[in-house]
Amino acid sequence: MEKTSSGGFVARFYKLSIKSDGHFVRKNSMNRNHPEEEGSVPLAALEKLNRAIMAAKMTIWKVRYASGNCNDCVRTTFRLEVCGKDGKWVRYSGNWDLPLPLPADMEAVLAAMEF
């Protein structure tokens, strides 16, 4: 799973990558003291994230959520790859430029990434 945001009036870059074992790497150009952080997602947060992922209906998410023309916006890209118990992979990759209403199950996954 990966969430990346970049751009805007003040150039910035934020990236959070989480593996299924809970290991994460977070890069944030706005945090000059600690531009890169790495560690393990707390167990309760990892369980919440896994529940949100398992409840998500990724196959109906759009590739692009947009409301029109936007200059100097922050673009957010989200990529999620999930391997089911049957061994089949479901992959999603999409992006948006503005804070738009996103599907509730996608919002739940994104919210669970905040720990």
Side-chain angles (χ1 to χ4, degrees), residues 1 10 14 34 50 64 67 110:
M1 159 181 324
V10 176
Y14 171 85
H34 303 287
N50 283 331
R64 176 110 174 96
S67 65
L110 293 169

Side-chain angles (χ1 to χ4, degrees), residues 9-99:
F9 290 110
V10 176
R12 70 180 193 146
F13 176 79
Y14 171 85
K15 179 177 181 178
L16 173 63
S17 300
I18 303 173
K19 293 185 177 181
S20 59
D21 64 0
H23 181 263
F24 75 87
V25 175
R26 189 179 348 230
K27 297 179 182 180
N28 186 348
S29 66
M30 299 301 281
N31 186 345
R32 295 175 193 239
N33 295 328
H34 303 287
E36 184 169 318
E37 173 189 10
E38 153 169 22
S40 293
V41 178
L43 184 57
L46 185 60
E47 289 172 356
K48 178 181 178 182
L49 180 58
N50 283 331
R51 283 192 305 274
I53 290 169
M54 298 315 290
K57 295 173 180 60
M58 297 172 11
T59 56
I60 62 172
W61 292 350
K62 296 179 187 176
V63 172
R64 176 110 174 96
Y65 291 90
S67 65
N69 192 10
C70 181
N71 296 322
D72 296 319
C73 288
V74 173
R75 171 162 289 168
T76 302
T77 302
F78 181 51
R79 185 170 56 96
L80 178 60
E81 298 179 351
V82 179
C83 184
K85 292 179 182 178
D86 58 2
K88 294 182 182 177
W89 285 88
V90 178
R91 293 175 172 87
Y92 169 78
S93 182
N95 64 72
W96 56 93
D97 291 335
L98 298 169

